Amino acid sequence: MVAGNWKMNKTLQEGVALATELKQSVKNPKCAVVIGTPFIHLATVAELLKGTPVKVAAENCADKVSGAYTGEVSAAMVASTGAEYCILGHSERRAYYHETPEILREKVLLALENNLKPIFCIGEVKEEREAGKQNEVVKAQLEGSVFNLSAEQWANITLAYEPVWAIGTGLTATPEQAQEMHAYIRSLIAEKYGNEVADNTTILYGGSCNAKNAAELFANPDVDGGLIGGASLKAPDFLTIIEAR
Ligand code: PGA
């Protein structure tokens, strides 16, 4: 899978223009293609891309079903737009909006209940990597929010390993660092759900993945694609990355 994460970029009109470019260019991709857009774009972009290989993701959803939560958008609302995926646990949500493992566990369950496929993000910050703690951090993130799922629920989960020090910094993990962590994550899934489930789990790499380095990252056996921020905002770059998978 190659998934875009537009973050808080593009007006509705700009987003529709980018989605239109992708619609015209992505014809027979060799992998699943998803774009994560702001909430307000979802309905229009999902309608525009209906019947094409490009699927749509929200970048978040609420941890509550419905009710008096001013400004929030529920998983059911996201699903009603035609979006099929929901990015959850992104490090920016964790850091700036204080999303805890418990909150994320609720969001994942609500997404699944509403037939949305979570793209669940995990990854360590720079200090944790420097202290050699990346494995325990990632393990705790999985245990805190998604290892409570049944194997049946797990089948709808995509993971994205995004070392926080690599997001938007131009500092990509080396292919070796990415492969090492992805293999470790897959081993944790195997311990929990068995080898077959682990082999079938899509684990994306994210963090300054771009048109130049994507092929090298995707060449690793445990790197199943990418979650792309900045480079998903320009159609030619995003298309090059899709072709690299
Ligand atoms: P980036 O963002 O590609 O701009 O580093 C990736 C992400 O945050 O998903």
Side-chain angles (χ1 to χ4, degrees), residues 124-134 136:
E124 80 286 356
V125 301
K126 185 162 162 271
E127 294 73 25
E128 291 162 340
R129 163 76 53 174
E130 282 169 358
K133 291 194 170 148
Q134 63 273 20
E136 64 185 87

Side-chain angles (χ1 to χ4, degrees), residues 179-191:
Q179 169 55 27
E180 189 181 16
M181 179 56 89
H182 283 228
Y184 173 66
I185 292 166
R186 207 177 296 284
S187 77
L188 294 175
I189 303 166
E191 252 172 56

Side-chain angles (χ1 to χ4, degrees), residues 3 25 79 89 97 99 105 111 115 121 137 139 141 146 150 170 186 201 208 210 223 243-244:
S25 313
Y97 303 98
E99 295 192 1
R105 190 162 59 214
N115 297 318
C121 306
V137 168
K139 186 176 185 203
Q141 289 171 332
V146 285
S150 67
R186 207 177 296 284
T201 302
S208 299
N210 58 39
V223 179
E243 274 154 30

Side-chain angles (χ1 to χ4, degrees), residues 5 7 90 92 162 166-168 207-209 227-230:
N5 175 11
K7 308 194 180 184
H90 192 280
E92 289 150 15
E162 300 204 304
I167 296 177
S208 299
C209 183
L227 180 56
I228 318 298

Side-chain angles (χ1 to χ4, degrees), residues 28-44:
N28 288 304
K30 288 176 285 172
C31 63
V33 176
V34 178
I35 51 172
T37 82
F39 288 131
I40 60 137
H41 300 57
L42 288 176
T44 313

Side-chain angles (χ1 to χ4, degrees), residues 37 75 93 96 135 171:
T37 82
R93 299 295 318 172
Y96 307 148
N135 285 11
L171 263 185

Side-chain angles (χ1 to χ4, degrees), residues 22-231:
L22 297 176
K23 178 182 177 172
Q24 285 159 357
S25 313
V26 182
K27 293 294 184 198
N28 288 304
K30 288 176 285 172
C31 63
V33 176
V34 178
I35 51 172
T37 82
F39 288 131
I40 60 137
H41 300 57
L42 288 176
T44 313
V45 167
E47 181 64 31
L48 177 82
L49 294 172
K50 209 181 201 166
T52 77
V54 185
K55 306 301 174 200
V56 179
E59 300 172 14
N60 182 26
C61 72
D63 62 338
K64 302 288 193 302
V65 174
S66 67
Y69 302 101
T70 303
E72 287 294 291
V73 175
S74 72
M77 292 174 192
V78 169
S80 74
T81 67
E84 293 176 41
Y85 291 83
C86 189
I87 299 170
L88 289 172
H90 192 280
S91 65
E92 289 150 15
R93 299 295 318 172
R94 294 178 191 259
Y96 307 148
Y97 303 98
H98 316 295
E99 295 192 1
T100 62
E102 294 73 29
I103 290 172
L104 292 172
R105 190 162 59 214
E106 293 305 313
K107 292 189 176 196
V108 168
L109 289 172
L110 286 167
L112 289 170
E113 272 169 32
N114 287 283
N115 297 318
L116 292 170
K117 297 179 203 137
I119 299 175
F120 189 74
C121 306
I122 52 179
E124 80 286 356
V125 301
K126 185 162 162 271
E127 294 73 25
E128 291 162 340
R129 163 76 53 174
E130 282 169 358
K133 291 194 170 148
Q134 63 273 20
N135 285 11
E136 64 185 87
V137 168
V138 161
K139 186 176 185 203
Q141 289 171 332
L142 291 169
E143 285 174 343
S145 306
V146 285
F147 273 180
N148 55 306
L149 299 175
S150 67
E152 200 186 329
Q153 289 171 314
W154 184 269
N156 293 302
I157 297 283
T158 297
L159 292 179
Y161 169 58
E162 300 204 304
V164 181
W165 46 270
I167 296 177
T169 57
L171 263 185
T172 318
T174 64
E176 294 74 26
Q177 283 171 324
Q179 169 55 27
E180 189 181 16
M181 179 56 89
H182 283 228
Y184 173 66
I185 292 166
R186 207 177 296 284
S187 77
L188 294 175
I189 303 166
E191 252 172 56
K192 179 79 194 163
Y193 297 103
N195 285 330
E196 196 183 330
V197 171
D199 287 345
N200 289 334
T201 302
T202 298
I203 309 175
L204 308 177
Y205 168 80
S208 299
C209 183
N210 58 39
K212 288 209 174 82
N213 61 26
E216 203 184 5
L217 286 158
F218 299 168
N220 291 286
D222 286 298
V223 179
D224 303 316
L227 180 56
I228 318 298

